[in-house]
């Protein structure tokens, strides 16, 4: 009831909770079994507000006392299964709370026992299925939950699984054409959702493994090609994020792209398209940043990097005429570095 949508009711039960427990952590530890029994029943209630409250309660427990929730008598795995079952079926008001609880409990289990990391791809796939529902506000909320899952899983699992998770997220993001949304005209919904897409792409770049031994050539090449495709035809904020993710991945993983000429060419085409952007200065800046990384990585890209040189040099030369002095100067410096390497 502390998570009741009616503030008066929630406030009353918060007061009761605070009066009868030693704090959130102590209260959850003391009553974990009873709380879980209550909320798992509520997860299948006919009333959607009850389901929402139950899910919010589980997220609260996972944050307040993760070890207590992980050790409940009925088993946290059973709680996760109940949440997973709740993902199926129609969309209802507040369902994003259930999706978040699903991820919170899954991450809790993974942190408590690394064997639970085997479920990572299934968990991410389950959330991504929700992230492509038609309702924009719901998709916006769920995409933020995807970011939470990716930030943990992509660096905790083995390299191949982590890259598969990356690729699945990029594929889902590529399907999210905003004009297909039912509530496209709601004020502020499009900027919020696009910002969340960008956040997910930033998370993909930031969570790509640093260590060469944790990188895999084939899935890295597929990921680079997928991100390059995201750059084309998307709003500037998404394009910038995809360009930034490409830069991170190539900076870290250039060595395993040495035989992936197609993926490297796609990344180069994305950089050139951004450099040639007429309207948005920030896109040209992101393209220049990616071009800088490509030039710096040429020695590690080997034969796959050779076809990059001529078209990238031409694009940089064009950009030297940019009205923005910093971009023009930067393009000249990168072109000179490219010529020096040649």
């Amino acid at each position: 009831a502390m998570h009741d949508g009616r503030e008066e009711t929630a406030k009353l039960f918060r007061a009761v909770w605070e009066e009868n427990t030693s704090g959130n952590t102590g209260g959850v530890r003391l009553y974990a079994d009873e709380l879980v029994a209550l909320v798992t029943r509520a997860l299948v209630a006919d009333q959607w507000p009850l389901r929402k409250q139950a899910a919010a309660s589980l997220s609260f427990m996972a944050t307040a006392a993760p070890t207590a929730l992980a050790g409940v008598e009925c088993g946290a795995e059973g709680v996760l299964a109940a949440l997973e079952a709740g993902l199926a079926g129609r969309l209802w008001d507040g369902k994003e709370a259930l999706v978040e609880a699903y991820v919170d409990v899954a991450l809790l289990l993974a942190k408590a026992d690394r064997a639970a990391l085997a479920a990572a791809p299934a968990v991410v796939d389950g959330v991504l299925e929700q992230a492509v529902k038609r309702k924009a506000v719901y998709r916006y909320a769920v995409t933020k939950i995807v970011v939470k899952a990716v930030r943990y899983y992509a660096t905790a699992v083995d390299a191949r699984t982590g890259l598969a998770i990356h690729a699945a997220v990029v594929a889902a993001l590529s399907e999210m054409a905003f004009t297909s949304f039912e509530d496209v005209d709601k004020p502020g919904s499009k900027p919020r959702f696009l910002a969340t897409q960008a956040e997910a792409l930033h998370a993909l770049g930031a969570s790509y493994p640093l260590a060469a031994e944790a990188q895999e050539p084939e899935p890295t090449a597929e990921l680079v090609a997928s991100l390059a495709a995201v750059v084309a035809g998307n709003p500037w904020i998404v394009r910038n994020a995809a360009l930034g993710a490409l830069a991170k991945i190539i900076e870290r993983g250039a060595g395993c792209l040495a035989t992936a000429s197609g993926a490297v060419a796609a990344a180069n085409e994305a950089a050139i398209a951004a450099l040639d952007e007429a309207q948005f200065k920030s896109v040209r800046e992101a393209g220049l940043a990616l071009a800088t990384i490509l030039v710096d990585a040429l020695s590690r890209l080997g034969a796959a990097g050779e076809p990059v040189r001529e078209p990238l040099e031409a694009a940089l030369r064009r950009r030297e005429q940019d009205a923005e002095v910093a971009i023009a100067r930067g393009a000249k410096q990168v072109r000179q570095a490219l010529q020096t390497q040649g």
Side-chain angles (χ1 to χ4, degrees), residues 124-135:
V124 173
D125 285 347
V127 178
L128 288 175
E129 286 179 12
Q130 300 300 311
V132 294
K133 299 289 187 185
R134 285 186 58 84
K135 189 176 180 183

Side-chain angles (χ1 to χ4, degrees), residues 18-211:
E18 290 166 5
E19 186 178 334
N20 290 276
T21 66
S22 57
N24 289 340
T25 300
V28 172
R29 284 177 178 166
L30 185 61
Y31 298 112
D33 289 322
E34 292 84 352
L35 289 169
V36 167
L38 284 171
V39 297
T40 49
R41 287 199 298 272
L43 285 174
V44 294
D46 292 334
Q47 298 89 355
W48 297 339
L50 279 179
R51 297 186 195 181
K52 181 179 178 180
Q53 289 174 45
S57 298
L58 284 170
S59 288
F60 168 77
M61 293 173 68
T63 302
T67 54
L69 182 55
V72 290
E73 188 175 334
C74 67
E77 294 82 0
V79 176
L80 185 65
L83 288 164
E84 184 175 6
L87 294 178
R90 63 180 296 182
L91 187 59
W92 41 269
D93 188 29
K95 190 175 180 179
E96 61 270 20
L98 187 144
V99 181
E100 183 153 28
Y102 176 61
V103 169
D104 287 341
V105 174
L107 296 185
L108 178 153
L109 287 169
K111 292 170 184 177
D113 182 2
R114 288 191 62 82
L117 286 172
V123 171
V124 173
D125 285 347
V127 178
L128 288 175
E129 286 179 12
Q130 300 300 311
V132 294
K133 299 289 187 185
R134 285 186 58 84
K135 189 176 180 183
V137 173
Y138 181 69
R139 291 169 73 149
Y140 160 71
V142 172
T143 304
K144 292 186 77 68
I145 299 166
V146 170
V147 172
K148 179 191 294 190
V150 168
R151 282 183 173 154
Y152 179 75
Y153 278 141
T155 53
V157 297
D158 64 273
R160 183 165 288 273
T161 304
L163 289 171
I165 287 172
H166 279 78
V169 174
V170 172
L173 289 172
S174 300
E175 293 178 17
M176 293 181 184
F178 193 86
T179 52
S180 68
F181 293 5
E182 291 173 351
D183 48 359
V184 67
D185 294 327
K186 284 193 175 179
S189 60
K190 183 172 183 177
R192 288 199 309 272
F193 183 73
L194 292 176
T196 305
Q197 280 191 313
E199 189 178 353
L201 289 165
H202 284 306
L204 289 175
S207 58
Y208 184 82
L210 283 165

